[in-house]
């Protein structure tokens, strides 16, 4: 690859107006073969087997022969300002950084609060979301946390969606978990109705992103909500459905009713117990012939992953890492899964669910969010909105405070 466009600790000045990526094997996510890709002003301008050369003073050329070029990954569940806090203030996880997301190939991210909607606020989350946009990523967030009533910025779920640009839904509202507010069916329906109508009014996704715990009730509340209401199934998006095998079976049954579900890329060193690693869950999903279009994968990056004993005491703790998302994709390829088969789980499926039509795909007019993979499936380059963040496997753009912190 050519030299980095800028290697300062902060976001560099704008990239060249035109960039030509030569000779990569392109997956859009459908395979397009070896193509050139022209980027212009943060967008994909053209994709073709061979694009004409342009004057060097107007266009920077990058040789990507031997690489696979895919859409930037979308992660719909990251604790942008840090998660945790279940065992006191010292267990609050630090905020996620730009380079942590970039190294995972994530070019679009959606932030969540998690358990703690008391010492962490929706205002903080919105501010960090806007900050990541300034740093070069595409970022949105959910209003709310595990709890009810839903913590909001404006005092209303519907107003949050209508008046606060980055907010696209409610999440992660907890079900079947001892840390939840133990919501009733009526309470879940009221939140889902508000987020659905708010999404319609604002032209946004309007989904309820549901944290699923280990409780025996599983997805029962979601099934009952579909039974008794007129709400479209797409409003409900349960995550962590691979946290135990019983819940994973329920999730497979739920998609037949029109819902999409999300598996979490748990850290590989975690003892899986009764859970399924994300790659195992995706393998099983495909082997069972379940609709791949209804499956997404997220990292739970910067989220605390506590292990509780029978008395509710934390006996172990880990932290989610954004890189588990790209690691899961790499592992699937190493197992022999076809890239075109599994790639939508990390790209178009997420973009379509979140109604971000300009994300998750490589096509003329789409945002210039791309990841270059080497022949082992590892990330060699990341472009977000036309700007290189990773090049030649090296981080070339960091957040404004990352170097001082190191």
């Amino acid at each position: 690859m050519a030299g980095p466009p800028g290697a300062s600790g902060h976001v560099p000045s704008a990239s060249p107006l035109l960039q030509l990526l030569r000779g990569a094997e392109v997956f859009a996510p459908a395979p397009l073969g070896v193509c050139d890709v022209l980027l212009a002003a943060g967008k994909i301008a053209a994709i073709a087997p061979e694009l004409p050369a342009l004057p060097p003073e107007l266009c920077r050329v990058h040789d990507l022969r031997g690489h696979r070029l895919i859409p930037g990954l979308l992660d719909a569940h990251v604790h942008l300002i840090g998660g945790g806090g279940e065992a006191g203030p010292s267990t609050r996880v630090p905020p996620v950084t730009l380079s942590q997301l970039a190294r995972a190939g994530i070019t679009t991210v959606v932030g969540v609060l998690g358990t703690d909607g008391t010492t962490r606020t929706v205002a903080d989350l919105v501010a960090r979301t806007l900050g990541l946009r300034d740093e070069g990523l595409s970022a949105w967030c959910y209003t709310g946390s595990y709890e009810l009533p839903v913590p909001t910025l404006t005092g209303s779920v519907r107003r949050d969606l209508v008046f606060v640009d980055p907010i696209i839904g409610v999440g992660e509202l907890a079900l079947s978990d001892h840390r939840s507010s133990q919501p009733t069916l009526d309470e879940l329906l009221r939140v889902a109705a508000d987020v659905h109508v708010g999404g319609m009014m604002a032209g946004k996704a309007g989904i309820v992103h549901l944290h699923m715990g280990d409780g025996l009730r599983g997805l029962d509340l979601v099934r009952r909500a579909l039974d008794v209401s007129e709400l479209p199934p797409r409003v409900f998006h349960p995550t962590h459905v691979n946290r135990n095998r019983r819940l994973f079976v329920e999730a497979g049954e739920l998609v037949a009713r029109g819902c999409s579900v999300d598996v979490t890329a748990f850290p590989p060193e975690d003892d899986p117990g009764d859970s399924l690693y994300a790659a195992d869950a995706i393998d099983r999903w495909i082997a069972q012939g379940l609709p791949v279009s209804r499956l997404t994968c997220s990292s739970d990056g910067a989220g605390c992953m506590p292990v509780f004993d029978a008395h509710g005491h934390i006996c172990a703790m880990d932290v989610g890492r954004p890189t588990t998302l790209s690691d899961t994709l790499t592992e699937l390829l190493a197992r022999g899964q076809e890239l075109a088969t599994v790639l939508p789980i990390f790209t178009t499926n997420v973009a379509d669910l979140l109604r971000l039509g300009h994300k998750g795909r490589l096509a003329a007019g789409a945002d210039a969010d791309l990841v270059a993979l080497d022949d082992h499936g590892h990330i060699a380059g990341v472009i977000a909105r036309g700007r290189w963040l990773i090049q030649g496997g090296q981080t070339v753009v960091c957040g404004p405070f990352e170097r001082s912190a190191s």
Side-chain angles (χ1 to χ4, degrees), residues 8 45 48 61 66 69 83 101 107 138 146 152 194 216 241 249 259 279 286 292 294 301 309 320 381 397:
S8 64
V61 178
L69 198 60
L101 296 168
T107 57
S138 298
Y146 275 23
T152 65
D194 278 347
L216 292 176
V241 300
V249 171
C259 293
I286 294 170
V292 174
R294 295 291 184 187
D309 63 20
V397 175

Side-chain angles (χ1 to χ4, degrees), residues 168-222:
I168 59 173
V170 165
E172 54 175 318
L173 180 65
L175 300 183
S176 302
D177 193 299
H178 65 94
R179 295 164 291 176
S180 78
S181 294
Q182 309 303 316
T184 64
L185 175 61
D186 285 346
E187 288 172 327
L188 176 61
L189 287 172
R190 178 58 56 85
V191 172
D194 278 347
V195 76
H196 172 53
V197 176
M200 292 173 62
M201 294 174 65
K204 296 178 180 177
I207 64 170
V208 184
H209 187 63
L210 294 165
H211 163 99
M212 299 306 304
D214 279 313
L216 292 176
R217 287 178 292 176
L219 288 161
D220 178 62
L221 266 183
V222 179

